[in-house]
């Protein structure tokens, strides 16, 4: 067992092993070490050239798959991993984003499809470094967005000449480019609300505005993809005109649109079939996702049979085969292929052993002050009767949702004897626009009203031991964890906060501009505009009320939840001699290194076990 040194706060304890039982120790480690793989992305004009990311080496890196020879190669090798990559349309090159130690600030690099990272060069040398804000690669036109503290800049390289065609202080990005490369759709928030963006379509010949679309206050638009057919100027758009995310097809050339009335509960997203006659629809409803084919001519919606769980990515090959990733809480993820005749099989099997299974989740629906709250509940296998120690795991985002998907992290808490409750609080996606936007003007505190209602239910139902409840989360979930410890101190026996917002004013000052823009939309302005809101919603305001022991984990290079504001919070805990531990690591907003993920998970679970007297 070891402790981390080199900081003035009590260091986190790193256990030599998490479980005394050798089989349990082997099982939880195996889930993290099991190789995983993303759905491959193929080159548009050379579909045998594919790119995916995998952790097979122990670090998430980019791989190339040549389907013609069925050969696989790792093409990046960086200490902190590489997550973002795409093939060029002709399949001759791979583009990947190069940052520094996980700080997300950098530039796109390109290398031959059959080369490795030693052959990589800066793809767009005339464009300065920054945070990525979209990329579209054509044969003649390349468009890339860059965000810095000065705002957003959008560039195009056409026939070898690079120019900046857009600049604004608020958030903007490259959205999609037409197949013939004559039109470029951009997303912007010139109206001051980056959470509900507008769309503009520009001509790549001079960048004059061809068309605009904005649905008004509180209604965002997202350009998903132009039609895959040359000369077809239709773009698939996600809108929320009726209080949830739905689809429309916007014919830019004709300046007409067709809303697609898909009669499914929940929300949808989609992509084109290669012939542009149909859409592959991914449907989200109550923490599960499913696939459908939507015929654009007839309006017929046909289910693509998949079991209950989560679709982690999906696309349609030129021959009509649907390739997708699927998992459930009990079953590890697999990349599968469903042929046009309905035959379904595993497409890619990573090397090594498959991850051990885990426990399923069940649904809980709890009435709260803002409406019905959906939570996912897991119980340890062979758990004894009666209330259990429980970790309330709060997802990041906030615009995300917990789903019925496989999680080695969740499984470790279950193996340690905890029930796990995942709360899709107000602010979560998949439950309609009003639910997602209910946190505006009062973020953090609104979500915690829902967490409190689910906590009450869990105790009253007999699931949870009221004296052994842990609040836990990372990123926005880490922010909610610290806020919960300060505003709900009697509910929690311990808190575990990964990469949190701890001092919101300092976080705003140091975070990437894209998040400052998001925060202005969420809070109703900057800290200078609405100081009382930031003060009321900042964990630092309530730090003196924190009674439970707290563990905080943070990355040195995190641009989203920067280290200084976390140090401010830790200093306040230290002045009170409040029980806390701190783990600091050399990466950004999380780690792509599996050994580091395992280390952090063992620190978190072991801390909770000690805090609750279970070790």
């Amino acid at each position: 067992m070891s402790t981390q040194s080199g900081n003035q706060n009590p260091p986190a304890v790193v256990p030599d092993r998490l479980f005394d039982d050798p089989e349990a120790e082997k099982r939880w480690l195996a889930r993290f070490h099991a190789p995983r793989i993303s759905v491959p992305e193929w080159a548009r004009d050379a579909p045998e050239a594919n790119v995916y990311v995998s952790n097979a080496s122990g670090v998430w890196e980019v791989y190339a798959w040549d389907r013609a020879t069925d050969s696989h190669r790792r093409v990046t090798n960086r200490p902190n991993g590489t997550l973002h990559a795409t093939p060029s349309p002709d399949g001759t090159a791979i583009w990947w984003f190069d940052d520094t130690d996980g700080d997300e600030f950098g530039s796109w690099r390109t290398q031959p499809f059959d080369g490795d990272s030693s052959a990589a060069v800066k793809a767009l040398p005339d464009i300065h470094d920054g945070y990525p804000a979209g990329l579209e690669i054509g044969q003649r036109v390349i468009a890339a967005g860059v965000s810095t503290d000065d705002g957003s800049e959008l560039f195009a390289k056409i026939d070898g000449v690079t120019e900046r065609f857009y600049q604004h202080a608020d958030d903007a990005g490259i959205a999609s480019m037409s197949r013939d490369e004559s039109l470029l759709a951009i997303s912007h928030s010139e109206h001051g609300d980056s959470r509900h963006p507008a769309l503009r379509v520009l001509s790549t010949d001079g960048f004059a505005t061809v068309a605009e679309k904005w649905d008004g206050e509180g209604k965002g638009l997202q350009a998903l993809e132009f039609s895959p057919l040359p000369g077809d100027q239709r773009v698939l758009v996600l809108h929320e005109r009726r209080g949830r995310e739905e689809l429309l097809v916007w014919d830019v050339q004709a300046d007409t649109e067709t809303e697609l009335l898909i009669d499914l509960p929940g929300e949808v997203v989609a992509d084109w079939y290669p012939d542009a006659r149909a859409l592959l629809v991914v449907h989200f409803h109550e923490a599960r996702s499913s696939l459908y084919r939507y015929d654009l001519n007839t309006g017929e919606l046909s289910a693509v049979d998949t079991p209950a769980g989560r679709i982690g990515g999906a696309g349609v090959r030129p021959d009509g085969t649907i390739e997708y990733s699927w998992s459930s809480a009990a079953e590890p993820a697999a990349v599968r292929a469903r042929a046009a005749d309905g035959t379904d099989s595993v497409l890619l099997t990573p090397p090594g052993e498959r991850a051990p299974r885990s426990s399923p989740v069940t649904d809980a629906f709890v009435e709260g002050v803002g409406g019905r709250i959906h939570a996912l509940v897991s119980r340890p296998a062979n758990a004894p009767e009666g209330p259990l120690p429980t970790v309330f795991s709060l997802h990041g985002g906030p615009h995300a949702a917990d789903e019925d998907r496989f999680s080695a992290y969740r499984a470790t808490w279950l193996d340690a004897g905890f029930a796990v409750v995942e709360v899709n609080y107000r602010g979560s996606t998949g439950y309609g626009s009003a639910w997602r936007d209910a946190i505006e003007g009062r973020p953090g505190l609104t979500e915690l009203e829902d967490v409190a209602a689910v906590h009450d239910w869990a105790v009253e139902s007999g699931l949870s031991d009221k004296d052994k409840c842990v609040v836990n989360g990372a990123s926005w979930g880490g922010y909610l964890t610290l806020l919960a410890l300060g505003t709900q101190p009697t509910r929690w026996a311990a808190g575990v906060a990964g990469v949190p917002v701890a001092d919101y004013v300092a976080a705003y000052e140091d975070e990437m501009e894209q998040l400052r823009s998001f925060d202005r939309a969420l809070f109703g302005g900057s800290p200078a505009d609405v100081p009382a809101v930031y003060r009321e919603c900042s964990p630092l305001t309530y730090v003196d009320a924190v009674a439970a022991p707290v563990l905080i984990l943070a990355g040195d290079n995190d641009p989203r939840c920067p280290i200084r504001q976390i140090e401010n919070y830790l200093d306040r805990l230290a002045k009170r001699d409040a029980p806390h531990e701190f783990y600091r690591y050399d990466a950004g907003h999380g780690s792509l290194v599996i050994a580091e993920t395992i280390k952090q998970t063992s620190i978190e679970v072991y801390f909770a076990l000690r805090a609750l007297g279970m070790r």
Side-chain angles (χ1 to χ4, degrees), residues 321-529:
T321 298
I322 299 170
E323 297 182 351
Y324 66 100
S325 175
W326 176 89
S327 76
S328 70
E331 292 288 341
V335 176
R336 305 188 65 87
R338 187 179 186 86
D341 64 4
T343 305
D344 198 292
S345 60
V346 174
L347 174 68
L348 290 175
T349 302
E353 296 294 323
R354 184 171 166 81
R357 298 177 76 256
S358 186
S359 300
V361 295
T362 58
D363 299 289
F365 296 96
V366 179
E367 290 302 320
V369 295
R372 190 181 73 159
I373 308 153
H374 184 205
L376 298 175
V377 178
S378 310
R379 288 178 58 89
N382 304 315
E385 294 295 324
L388 297 170
T390 304
V391 58
F392 288 76
S393 185
L394 311 181
H395 66 74
H399 297 340
D402 280 314
E403 299 175 276
D404 184 357
R405 64 175 182 87
F406 192 77
S407 167
Y409 181 75
R410 182 203 300 118
T412 305
W413 286 101
L414 293 170
D415 285 355
F418 290 87
V420 178
V421 178
E422 298 166 294
V423 184
N424 282 336
Y425 49 73
R426 277 172 288 171
S428 301
T429 51
Y431 299 87
S433 303
W435 188 261
R436 182 200 63 206
D437 293 344
I439 66 174
E440 290 182 352
R442 191 173 175 263
L445 298 173
T446 302
E447 298 95 299
L448 290 180
E449 291 176 344
D450 295 343
V451 174
V454 174
H455 176 265
D456 287 343
W457 166 85
V459 172
E460 292 166 4
S461 69
L463 170 70
S464 302
D465 182 337
K466 68 179 181 63
D467 297 322
K468 293 185 177 181
C469 290
V470 178
V471 61
N472 155 263
S475 191
W476 194 264
Y479 160 62
L480 294 179
T481 293
L482 296 184
L483 195 60
L485 291 171
T487 61
Q488 303 170 344
T490 61
R491 291 186 182 274
W492 311 110
V496 176
V499 290
V501 175
D503 172 357
Y504 224 121
V505 173
Y508 180 90
E509 293 170 351
D510 294 351
E511 68 191 5
M512 58 202 300
E513 173 55 34
Q514 289 154 313
L515 288 185
R516 283 200 290 264
S517 180
F518 181 92
D519 284 341
R520 289 192 296 271
L522 185 61
F523 281 77
S526 70
D529 300 323

Side-chain angles (χ1 to χ4, degrees), residues 33 51 70 80 83 132 134 148 201 248 259 301 310 314 377 408 423 485 487 490 504 511 524 528 541 543 549 605:
H33 282 301
V51 170
D70 196 26
N80 284 298
L83 202 58
T148 66
V201 177
L248 66 83
E259 292 186 8
L301 187 69
R310 177 182 186 258
V377 178
V423 184
L485 291 171
T487 61
T490 61
Y504 224 121
E511 68 191 5
T541 302
V543 65
V605 176

Side-chain angles (χ1 to χ4, degrees), residues 61-94:
E61 293 287 6
V62 180
Y63 287 73
W65 175 26
D66 185 340
R67 294 199 192 210
T69 60
D70 196 26
S71 59
H72 298 256
R73 297 179 303 101
R74 188 178 71 184
V75 296
T76 57
N77 184 15
R78 304 195 306 143
N80 284 298
T82 313
L83 202 58
H84 303 293
T86 188
S88 62
D90 61 8
T92 62
I94 297 172

